[in-house]
Structure formats: structure tokens, C-alpha cells
Amino acid sequence: MLSQKIEKILQEVQKPGRYVGGELNSVIKDKNKVDVRYAFCFPDTYEIGMSHLGMKILYSVVNRLDYAWCERVFAPDVDMEEKMRENGIKLWALESGDSLDEFDMLGFTLQYELSYSNILNMLDLAGIPLYSKDRTELAPLVVAGGPCACNGEPIADFIDIFMLGDGEETTVQLVDLIRKHKKLGSPKIELLREVAQLKGFYVPSFYDIEYNADGTIKSVTNKETAPEKAVKAVVEDMDKVYYPESFVVPSIEVVHDRVTAEIFRGCIRGCRFCQAGFLYRPIREKSPEVVEEQCRTLCESTGYDEISLCSLSTSDYTGLQPLLTSMLKWTTEENINVALPSLRVDNFSDELMEKLTEVRRSSLTFAPEAGTQRLRDAINKNVTYADVMKTVNMAFSGGWTAVKLYFMIGLPTETLDDVAGIAQLGQQVVDEFYRNPDRPKGKGVQVSISASSFVPKPFTPFQWEPQDTMEQLEEKQKHLYASVTTKKIRISTHLTPTSFLEGVFARGDRRLSKVLELAWKKGCKFDSWDDHFDFEKWMEAFDEAGLDPSFYANRRRDFDEILPWDHLDYGISKKFLMNENKKAHESVTTPHCRIKCAGCGANRLNGGKCDARSEA
């Protein structure tokens, strides 16, 4: 129930639907009849957060427990925040309208490094101390998970517990532990000691960091009950793990407003730039029968008329053909669109094209990532020029006239010739359209090229590489635009200051907590939004903290340097990553997992099992 104070200010802000709750399938419980209250906090706007699959899964995971209640919280936009501060209103959860300081656990999802300032802002709006050391009571416990938890060091001083890896099972474990310690009346330290011993959890306050004179890490020392390395959690069986039967249906338009069905976790490819491809290993597939049943159930419970089959590389799913054959029988009849994001150009088959032509046509999206074969080999993309041309020809023959191609600028070993190669490949795709005798007649082609700036990330072979400076990236962007010679190609690039800051926080250490606090106090928030990002304030914060951001972003690390995340175990062996890095500098590829196991080590966290090896 929203208070009268909140209802009054809703009339004075844009999109009040972001803040009222009451959506279809939202879960309302009696707070007096539950033992644990969990606020799932998404550090961005409602429209972004309500598109996130992880939130949908964990919301349902907790709410199926009769003794726990999970509610949703999103970052209020600046107009709402202003009204909240003016009227002394604390940040509240959508389901109950209660402020966050009434909850046992606040769980922040870390999807993007530039959302960190919003975490501090949300804690402050709730009247909760920012630093973990200043929150001495058992509740509220501040927890964080998601992909950026693989190096949460830049925000470690603010977080009580990081959840590493898959969260479906560890979330229930943590809720049960909070319930137990609440009943016992335990101090916070007792809960943290028990949590630290469990797989999938990392308690940062139980690790002391010592630095060398040059700013690199000298040692990481575990204390209390913490293990030498905190190990990520892995869901073993994707068919048996819990998946929601309903999603909360948003009351306003959001970014991805549809049913999302996860078909497998992990990736067989081993692209050397791709953090997700390594973090989510080992590969675990869902059976087509389970995926289809989940899609049917969600369409019925939500009323959506679009399904997105979600994975890191959808066309690598071994059950894709039988799944589509079976699903299209009822989705076509019921006018439900099936979307296949994350398609690869090297296994886009005639059969898949045939299936796609049975559903609504939109633009096809592929990711060659680099403009020349040498650089594609260096990043282990394992895609050839012939693959690209074969695939776009197939698409044009199937009636498509729009193709979107994803590339990166600033990849290790890249030259200006590689950058020009992006425009040249786009031109060759345009030319291929007009050469194709089966193309749609009377129509032109549109090739959209998105060129993002490469950011080296932890737990990838490029974790030691320097990021290109902003000046280098800007030079390459100009060269790309200058290399385009036709209006049939549309280019989009990313702002280099945001990529620079992302690079700093991706591989940063605990000293950045001070920078983050200083920047937030200067007004930094919603840093992933161009109209809010203030690079000068961030640089002032670094200066006041006495830290050089280029130390984190633009410096090559030695293989023997202790990295800020070395005391976390995501299954991938460091030796494997080093070997892949060396091969990148020689432009030597590694076959994907179904051709030959490269021995990355991730399967040891799953009892030796990896679905990519099932055909071996």
C-alpha cells in the first residue's frame, strides 16, 4: 500500500507507473506471516530492470517459499528522487510500499559497472549506511550478485555478501540462514561466518588486502572462517532447476516486454573477449521438451505474444531444430512470434532459415566482432569471410533486407587496417545483396554496424591486456566513419569516456570504493545514461582520492601479478587463460568445445560434467 505522501508526488513526476506496483502476477503477502523479507534491488530504472531475466527467476524462487517474501525495487529517476528528498520519503518496495530499512535483505544485481553509483544512491535514499562496517545489526543485510560480482572489489566496502555464480539455489540457502539467525537472535558476524564457508558466497570483510609501493596487490589474506578462495555456485541440471511459471507483467512499456526462455547456460565458443562465455561455464542445456513447456506456461500466464529463446549463442543449442519444429505448430496458430537472438554466422543453416521464415520478420543480427580474418582469429571468433557471405546470402534469399552486424573497436593487436576492415565487410554485405538473384525485388538493403569499444574483463584471456586510451579509441572511430562509402551502411559507436570508466571498474580494486563515494557525493548517478554521465566529476573524484584511473584501465598486467579477483574461483584455470592470451598474440585459434575440449577447467565445479563434451 502506497502512502498518501507517495501518492501525492506521483502526480508530479514522469511515468508514475514505474513506482506504483500492482501489476499482473506481482506477489502480495502478509508481512506478519513471513519470516524473511527480501528486497530485490535493480540499480537502474523500472524499464531496464523489468526486462531482466535474473530478477524474474529469483523473484519467483523466493516467493514460492511460504516463509519469505521478495519484493522489487528500482532506482527512481532524477525527478522522482528530487520529490522524495523534498518530502522526506524513503525508497520503498513496489509490492508493500514499505521502505527498504524494514527488510531483512537487500539484493543488488550487478549487471554493469556503471550502475555502481546508483547502488550508493539507493542505500542513501533508504536511510541505510553505505559502508558494511557501519551496519552492525543483522538486518538489513546488503547482498550483491550477477556477472560483475566476479570482481566486486570496487564496491566491496559497501557489500556484506557477494553471491558468486548461479543464484537459484544459493538464494534459498541464504534466505534460510537469515531465517535461522533471526530466530536465534544472532549478531551479524555469526551469520557472515556461516555464509563464508558455503560454496557460492564471498564475504569481502573476511579478506585483507595489502598493496605494493607501485599500487599492485602484494597479498590477499583470508581470516575468520573464510576459505583461501571463494568458489562460484553451479546449477547442475537445467531441466530440474526452478523456472517461473509466471512473470510480473509491467504496467508501462519496458525494453524487453516478452516471454524469455533460457535454453542453455554457458557457451562452447571461447571467444577471448567475452566474459559471459567464461563466467557461465560449464555448458548446461535444457531439453527441448522442458523449454517448450515453460514457453507455453508463460504465454498462458502473461498473455505475451512474443517468445525470446535466450542464450549466449542460440544457434549452438543442440535441440534447436526439434524445439522450433514443435513450437511453431502452436505459436504460428496463436500468432506468437519466436525471436532468436545471438545467432552465429558459421552455423546458420538452411533448416534454421526455413523455420525463421515461418515467423514474423525483423532484422537479423550477427556478430563478426572484427573486420579482418587475422583479428577474428586473434579473438578466437572462428568466423570466416565465407561464413558471413553465405549467411547473409541465405538471409537475403529468405526475404530479409536488413542486417545488423556487431563489432568491437580497440581489441588487442588491432590496427587501423582492421578498423577499416569493418567498413569493408559492411560494403561486401551490401554488394552481396545486389548480386543475389533471389533477393526481395524492388527493395533496398540496410546494413547497420554497431561498433562498441572493447573493455578487458576479469576471467577472460584478455584480463591482462591494456585497454585502448580514449584518444586511441576516438581515432579509430573517426577512421571507421571515414572508411564508409555508402548510405546503405549506418554506423553507431559508443562514447569513449563511459568505456574508459567501465574499464577502470571492471578490473579495479578496493581503493575504488573511496572514488565511488566521492563521485556519488558530487552527484554522479545513472552513469550508463549519456544525458546523466559527468566525466569531469569522476575525474575530480579520482584526483581527490589520489588514484590514477589509467592505472586500472590502460596498463598491461604481468602474468605473475596478483589480480584483484584472484581469490575468487569461477572454475576457469589461470593457466588456460594465459595460454589463450599467448595464442591471441599469434592469431592462433582454439577449436570450440564440441570439436575438442580445451581443458578450461570449469567442469570441475560441476562434478566433471559439461554438456559440450556429450558428443565426444
Side-chain angles (χ1 to χ4, degrees):
M1 273 295 282
L2 296 182
S3 68
Q4 288 185 334
K5 255 184 165 183
I6 294 173
E7 287 184 358
K8 184 181 176 184
I9 65 171
L10 287 174
Q11 303 168 34
E12 304 172 39
V13 299
Q14 290 184 331
K15 300 187 180 179
R18 291 167 163 168
Y19 310 109
V20 296
E23 308 99 321
L24 176 68
N25 298 330
S26 57
V27 177
I28 304 298
K29 295 188 179 186
D30 183 343
K31 63 183 178 184
N32 298 311
K33 294 182 179 177
V34 296
D35 300 323
V36 179
R37 297 189 67 188
Y38 173 21
F40 190 106
C41 303
F42 197 97
D44 211 318
T45 61
Y46 179 94
E47 294 92 319
I48 304 294
M50 284 296 290
S51 304
H52 179 239
L53 178 60
M55 186 194 71
K56 299 173 198 280
I57 293 173
L58 296 180
Y59 180 83
S60 297
V61 160
V62 175
N63 281 325
R64 69 186 180 129
L65 306 172
D66 57 11
Y67 52 86
W69 185 13
C70 181
E71 303 183 46
R72 294 161 299 135
V73 185
F74 302 96
D77 210 342
V78 289
D79 59 339
M80 172 57 89
E81 181 189 342
E82 185 182 332
K83 295 298 176 186
M84 288 168 64
R85 292 192 186 276
E86 278 177 12
N87 292 275
I89 297 171
K90 291 182 177 180
L91 184 59
W92 69 90
L94 292 187
E95 280 73 8
S96 65
D98 290 343
S99 61
L100 297 196
D101 54 2
E102 296 183 39
F103 285 75
D104 299 298
M105 171 177 162
L106 311 181
F108 287 92
T109 180
L110 308 177
Q111 297 297 312
Y112 185 37
E113 292 85 355
L114 295 193
S115 69
Y116 291 169
S117 56
N118 275 10
I119 295 175
L120 299 198
N121 204 45
M122 291 170 79
L123 288 173
D124 184 67
L125 279 168
I128 294 168
L130 301 186
Y131 283 92
S132 174
K133 62 181 173 59
D134 296 328
R135 298 189 300 267
T136 55
E137 301 298 317
L138 184 61
L141 201 67
V142 177
V143 179
C148 294
C150 76
N151 179 32
E153 295 304 288
I155 57 168
D157 288 347
F158 310 113
I159 305 298
D160 296 315
I161 301 168
F162 285 100
M163 299 179 71
L164 310 180
D166 299 331
E168 291 95 334
E169 294 162 354
T170 49
T171 296
V172 176
Q173 270 186 296
L174 185 54
V175 166
D176 287 346
L177 282 173
I178 292 171
R179 185 188 191 202
K180 167 188 160 183
H181 284 279
K182 271 186 76 177
K183 287 180 178 176
L184 290 172
S186 306
K188 176 179 168 182
I189 189 71
E190 287 302 320
L191 170 69
L192 296 181
R193 283 172 180 153
E194 187 166 356
V195 166
Q197 299 175 65
L198 301 175
K199 188 176 179 180
F201 297 100
Y202 165 50
V203 179
S205 61
F206 286 179
Y207 294 81
D208 288 332
I209 317 295
E210 192 178 349
Y211 298 92
N212 293 308
D214 64 359
T216 58
I217 293 174
K218 183 177 182 180
S219 65
V220 179
T221 307
N222 53 314
K223 58 185 182 181
E224 294 280 354
T225 56
E228 189 177 333
K229 284 198 171 194
V231 182
K232 79 165 182 177
V234 174
V235 164
E236 291 189 12
D237 192 330
M238 293 298 291
D239 279 349
K240 292 178 181 174
V241 72
Y242 177 79
Y243 203 74
E245 294 183 352
S246 68
F247 291 163
V248 179
V249 180
S251 53
I252 63 172
E253 188 177 349
V254 299
V255 177
H256 299 305
D257 208 2
R258 60 199 179 201
V259 163
T260 305
E262 187 183 20
I263 57 177
F264 76 101
R265 203 166 283 181
C267 184
I268 65 172
R269 294 292 169 170
C271 299
R272 291 170 182 141
F273 58 85
C274 180
Q275 186 182 47
F278 293 104
L279 290 187
Y280 293 107
R281 290 186 178 196
I283 290 88
R284 291 145 292 154
E285 290 198 341
K286 274 186 192 174
S287 64
E289 298 77 20
V290 169
V291 174
E292 182 175 11
E293 180 58 32
Q294 289 172 350
C295 289
R296 268 186 182 277
T297 301
L298 284 166
C299 284
E300 288 167 5
S301 66
T302 62
Y304 279 126
D305 62 358
E306 181 171 2
I307 299 166
S308 177
L309 299 178
C310 169
S311 77
L312 293 174
S313 182
T314 301
S315 43
D316 284 330
Y317 175 54
T318 57
L320 189 58
Q321 291 296 342
L323 174 62
L324 287 174
T325 299
S326 183
M327 275 184 66
L328 289 173
K329 290 174 186 172
W330 57 273
T331 54
T332 305
E333 196 175 289
E334 297 176 28
N335 202 29
I336 294 172
N337 186 41
V338 179
L340 300 178
S342 307
L343 296 174
R344 294 245 337 164
V345 296
D346 58 338
N347 62 359
F348 191 78
S349 63
D350 288 311
E351 294 81 11
L352 182 53
M353 172 57 67
E354 192 179 319
K355 297 297 180 193
L356 284 174
T357 54
E358 295 178 36
V359 300
R360 281 181 262 165
R361 267 193 199 93
S362 55
S363 65
L364 279 175
T365 301
F366 301 103
E369 305 294 2
T372 63
Q373 194 59 51
R374 183 204 66 78
L375 190 53
R376 284 194 292 274
D377 289 345
I379 64 175
N380 205 45
K381 187 65 186 176
N382 281 316
V383 163
T384 65
Y385 170 79
D387 292 329
V388 176
M389 292 305 123
K390 177 189 171 192
T391 298
V392 296
N393 254 315
M394 216 182 294
F396 297 148
S397 297
W400 270 268
T401 60
V403 175
K404 188 165 189 177
L405 301 175
Y406 282 108
F407 295 90
M408 279 184 290
I409 288 178
L411 289 161
T413 79
E414 182 182 65
T415 65
L416 288 178
D417 287 343
D418 295 312
V419 175
I422 295 173
Q424 290 159 12
L425 189 59
Q427 183 63 56
Q428 286 156 345
V429 171
V430 171
D431 296 343
E432 205 64 30
F433 177 83
Y434 291 106
R435 277 197 294 265
N436 190 316
D438 301 319
R439 71 179 188 274
K441 298 299 186 284
K443 293 186 178 180
V445 66
Q446 184 65 57
V447 176
S448 299
I449 288 175
S450 173
S452 60
S453 300
F454 169 69
V455 177
K457 294 288 177 95
F459 296 104
T460 69
F462 292 152
Q463 65 182 3
W464 295 279
E465 294 292 323
Q467 182 180 4
D468 270 4
T469 64
M470 289 190 290
E471 293 75 21
Q472 288 171 319
L473 288 170
E474 285 164 7
E475 180 192 358
K476 289 178 178 180
Q477 288 176 353
K478 287 176 186 173
H479 192 64
L480 174 59
Y481 282 106
S483 301
V484 175
T485 57
T486 173
K487 291 182 180 177
K488 302 289 184 185
I489 296 175
R490 189 167 57 235
I491 301 275
S492 64
T493 55
H494 291 194
L495 289 175
T496 55
T498 55
S499 299
F500 174 61
L501 198 63
E502 180 186 345
V504 171
F505 278 92
R507 295 186 293 171
D509 55 42
R510 288 195 192 177
R511 293 171 297 181
L512 291 179
S513 291
K514 185 61 180 173
V515 177
L516 184 57
E517 183 191 13
L518 288 167
W520 166 73
K521 284 181 175 175
K522 292 174 182 294
C524 292
K525 58 196 166 197
F526 287 107
D527 296 299
S528 57
W529 296 81
D530 294 347
D531 54 343
H532 292 299
F533 183 65
D534 192 327
F535 188 59
E536 285 185 15
K537 286 180 180 175
W538 274 103
M539 292 304 100
E540 288 172 12
F542 276 100
D543 191 48
E544 288 173 26
L547 291 173
D548 177 7
S550 64
F551 173 82
Y552 297 101
N554 308 127
R555 176 178 65 87
R556 180 179 299 282
R557 288 136 175 84
D558 293 330
F559 283 153
D560 59 359
E561 180 179 329
I562 297 174
L563 303 173
W565 53 92
D566 274 350
H567 56 294
L568 307 183
D569 184 356
Y570 271 72
I572 309 296
S573 83
K574 207 168 182 182
K575 183 180 177 183
F576 166 79
L577 294 176
M578 287 177 186
N579 287 338
E580 286 294 297
N581 180 284
K582 292 169 185 173
K583 290 167 79 172
H585 285 275
E586 298 165 1
S587 290
V588 174
T589 61
T590 297
H592 70 66
C593 302
R594 290 202 179 109
I595 294 175
K596 183 182 179 185
C597 175
C600 73
N603 65 325
R604 69 182 170 80
L605 299 186
N606 195 34
K609 297 192 291 289
C610 176
D611 285 352
R613 302 176 68 181
S614 58
E615 297 175 11

